[in-house]
Amino acid sequence: GARAMNAFERDMIYYQPTHGVPSVREAMADFLHDLLVKPTHPHLKSRKFDPDNVVLGAGCNAVLENLCMCLADPGDAILVPTPYYAAFEFDLVSRAGCKIVSVNTFDHHEGEEAPSSSSHAPIAPHFYYPNESSLDAAYDRAVLETGRAPRVLLLSHPNNPLGICYPPQVMEECIAWCRERRVHLVSDEIYAGSVYREERSSSSAGEPTFVSAMALGANCEDDNDADDDNNANVSSPGLGLGPYVHLVYALSKDFALSGLRVGAAYTENPEIKLPFQKLNDLCQISSQTQLLLERMLRADAVVATADDDDGKQSEEDASQEKFVDVYLKANRANVRARCDRLQSHLDELRIPHLRADSGLFVWMDLREFLPPLIVPSDDDDVTTTEEEATESIESKERRERRLYLSLMKDYGLLFTPGMSMRNERAGFFRFVFTAAGGEEFELGLARLTEFVKAMRG
């Protein structure tokens, strides 16, 4: 007769802690340490992610929203450098009731001016980096707009939509600024496993492309923290981040597992630990998914060997490497190859763009193809740079939308417009280069070539 089988294992059918099964949180803590801390700070052997401070929820947006609801009240400002992932406005505003205040960076680099569209020169990455000057300006604007100090600085690192990582010194400056101002830094590192260039191309040799806020903020304590009632005891288990540095992560990007709805947050602030866990009641991960997650994070890699005598592919015993490490290494190689193909094509077309090192996209400068900016006839002496600096937001959005619609309707190209992500200048677009198969990707490049040739005559 048919052999009976259990449809569910015992651990899959009962109530679980709302912030995650303990063994799954341990597996996630180990994975995050190996991904975010170990590569750049192997000397921090005594400092590890504390599983008790890990909260697992149904996606990155869920844990980010809940974390910010614990850190800020409705009406409080959250600072976000531009351009930023457009869905942040939904995640942080619709229910949490917070107000996003842009951190504009272009005008805060002393003695430097971002190239205008007429120069056809690319805008260097550092113009997009937040610094003390741009953060101070955004802080003051937030106070004027809300009547109180901002509560959170949200950084996308690696950055979406720019496709680059902030250098370590930029992250260190942001961490120090937040601790001094008592503003909470939330580092969204959802693309941390998709950094496909190990060293920075525009800096001194040997500097890593990506250094996590978890590594840079580990075991750091300053006078403000020491006197703060919310201070996390740096002698306790964990990284020693203190109360102002937090992390969000998910499997949606690095592992292409968006449908599993697995997000993770990490904080060592004891004041928000219980409310954060309680808020997670409404966005728990199912027991079945957590069991699958734990198995994946703990699994050893199995390497396929050559065909055996029967023509069947055999498998070796489990290797010394973990499955997640083997997978991420292969995925990074695939993403880098696709990015290199795109950037080579953009170079051939003379389209300025940021040299991407992470994520799934390239930030393109298509200002050359924007409809002309109408300038009053009595302002003939105004330069292009001055025109761009004084152009209204409505005019920027109108011109960019015309270009966006032309690309989509006339050439079958769908790029994310920069103004939808609050970019400071019109004419920039995000090219997501992993959203299509090989043939469709090549077709997209051919259509882009057709567009450029038509526009340049």
Side-chain angles (χ1 to χ4, degrees):
R3 185 174 60 182
M5 296 182 62
N6 291 327
F8 299 98
E9 297 184 25
R10 183 179 298 273
D11 290 343
M12 299 169 66
I13 60 176
Y14 297 118
Y15 287 120
Q16 305 289 353
T18 60
H19 57 300
V21 175
S23 60
V24 183
R25 285 187 280 111
E26 290 176 8
M28 180 61 76
D30 291 343
F31 168 73
L32 291 174
H33 182 85
D34 290 345
L35 178 68
L36 304 179
V37 176
K38 188 176 180 180
T40 58
H41 289 64
H43 57 283
L44 290 176
K45 296 180 180 179
S46 62
R47 289 292 178 185
K48 293 183 178 294
F49 282 80
D50 183 357
D52 286 341
N53 294 325
V54 173
V55 173
L56 301 175
C60 194
N61 57 346
V63 294
L64 174 61
E65 180 186 57
N66 287 343
L67 176 60
C68 289
M69 289 176 72
C70 292
L71 299 175
D73 293 324
D76 283 342
I78 294 180
L79 309 181
V80 189
T82 57
Y84 56 73
Y85 175 54
F88 282 155
E89 296 186 357
F90 181 77
D91 297 340
L92 304 176
V93 176
S94 60
R95 288 200 303 177
C98 295
K99 176 181 176 61
I100 291 183
V101 173
S102 298
V103 180
N104 297 321
T105 59
F106 277 17
D107 296 332
H108 294 274
H109 297 273
E110 188 174 355
E112 293 187 87
E113 191 173 80
S116 66
S117 57
S118 61
S119 70
H120 300 293
I123 292 181
H126 70 269
F127 280 102
Y128 293 98
Y129 299 160
N131 56 23
E132 184 177 358
S133 175
S134 61
L135 293 172
D136 283 343
Y139 185 101
D140 293 342
R141 194 168 71 256
V143 172
L144 287 175
E145 294 179 8
T146 67
R148 51 191 186 267
R151 297 293 296 160
V152 175
L153 169 63
L154 174 59
L155 298 180
S156 174
H157 174 60
N159 188 276
N160 177 10
L162 298 178
I164 60 175
C165 302
Y166 292 129
Q169 61 270 24
V170 171
M171 292 298 294
E172 288 175 330
E173 185 173 359
C174 290
I175 291 172
W177 183 88
C178 283
R179 285 175 168 155
E180 181 181 353
R181 290 277 199 165
R182 298 175 183 252
V183 172
H184 293 275
L185 185 146
V186 176
S187 189
D188 179 350
E189 302 186 3
I190 195 171
Y191 291 98
S194 300
V195 180
Y196 47 84
R197 305 193 198 281
E198 295 183 358
E199 296 184 359
R200 305 192 68 82
S201 59
S202 59
S203 64
S204 57
E207 182 179 68
T209 301
F210 171 74
V211 183
S212 169
M214 298 296 97
L216 295 170
N219 203 14
C220 292
E221 181 182 24
D222 61 21
D223 292 338
N224 282 341
D225 288 344
D227 295 333
D228 195 329
D229 291 337
N230 292 339
N231 181 41
N233 185 354
V234 294
S235 65
S236 62
L239 297 171
L241 297 172
Y244 294 113
V245 181
H246 319 269
L247 169 79
V248 292
Y249 179 77
L251 304 186
S252 305
K253 313 302 181 183
D254 291 342
F255 292 92
L257 293 174
S258 57
L260 286 190
R261 308 311 302 145
V262 175
Y266 186 77
T267 177
E268 294 183 355
N269 186 321
E271 294 297 315
I272 69 168
K273 185 174 181 178
L274 183 59
F276 192 12
Q277 294 173 357
K278 181 59 181 174
L279 276 175
N280 209 55
D281 279 355
L282 301 180
C283 52
Q284 300 176 58
I285 307 174
S286 73
S287 302
Q288 295 93 324
T289 300
Q290 291 193 59
L291 182 61
L292 175 64
L293 171 62
E294 182 179 7
R295 289 173 175 173
M296 186 188 80
L297 295 178
R298 295 293 193 198
D300 293 326
V302 176
V303 182
T305 61
D307 292 347
D308 58 22
D309 295 337
D310 297 327
K312 296 180 180 179
Q313 193 175 62
S314 59
E315 294 182 347
E316 292 181 347
D317 293 335
S319 72
Q320 297 299 312
E321 294 184 279
K322 291 182 178 180
F323 162 76
V324 291
D325 297 330
V326 173
Y327 171 83
L328 289 176
K329 182 179 180 180
N331 188 58
R332 285 192 288 264
N334 291 336
V335 173
R336 176 171 180 164
R338 177 67 66 87
C339 179
D340 288 346
R341 173 73 180 98
L342 170 59
Q343 294 194 138
S344 175
H345 194 73
L346 293 176
D347 289 339
E348 292 176 6
L349 296 177
R350 304 192 314 278
I351 293 178
H353 58 280
L354 289 183
R355 310 305 293 190
D357 54 41
S358 51
L360 313 175
F361 23 75
V362 167
W363 186 245
M364 302 184 299
D365 181 352
L366 301 184
R367 289 181 293 173
E368 172 189 355
F369 308 113
L370 282 171
L373 175 61
I374 306 300
V375 180
S377 58
D378 57 349
D379 288 343
D380 293 338
D381 294 333
V382 176
T383 66
T384 304
T385 301
E386 292 172 330
E387 292 172 7
E388 291 180 344
T390 59
E391 183 182 8
S392 69
I393 292 179
E394 293 76 12
S395 174
K396 292 178 183 179
E397 291 177 340
R398 183 167 56 251
R399 291 200 299 143
E400 186 175 273
R401 180 166 178 78
R402 287 178 58 187
L403 176 56
Y404 164 77
L405 292 175
S406 175
L407 286 163
M408 181 173 60
K409 294 182 177 181
D410 300 334
Y411 296 92
L413 294 167
L414 183 60
F415 302 135
T416 313
M419 292 301 294
S420 72
M421 295 174 281
R422 309 306 180 214
N423 195 47
E424 294 184 55
R425 305 280 173 86
F428 291 78
F429 290 81
R430 183 186 67 169
F431 189 134
V432 182
F433 55 78
T434 57
E439 292 184 7
E440 291 85 357
F441 175 71
E442 292 297 328
L443 176 60
L445 297 186
R447 290 177 175 178
L448 183 58
T449 300
E450 180 185 358
F451 163 77
V452 170
K453 289 182 177 179
M455 295 296 287
R456 288 177 178 162

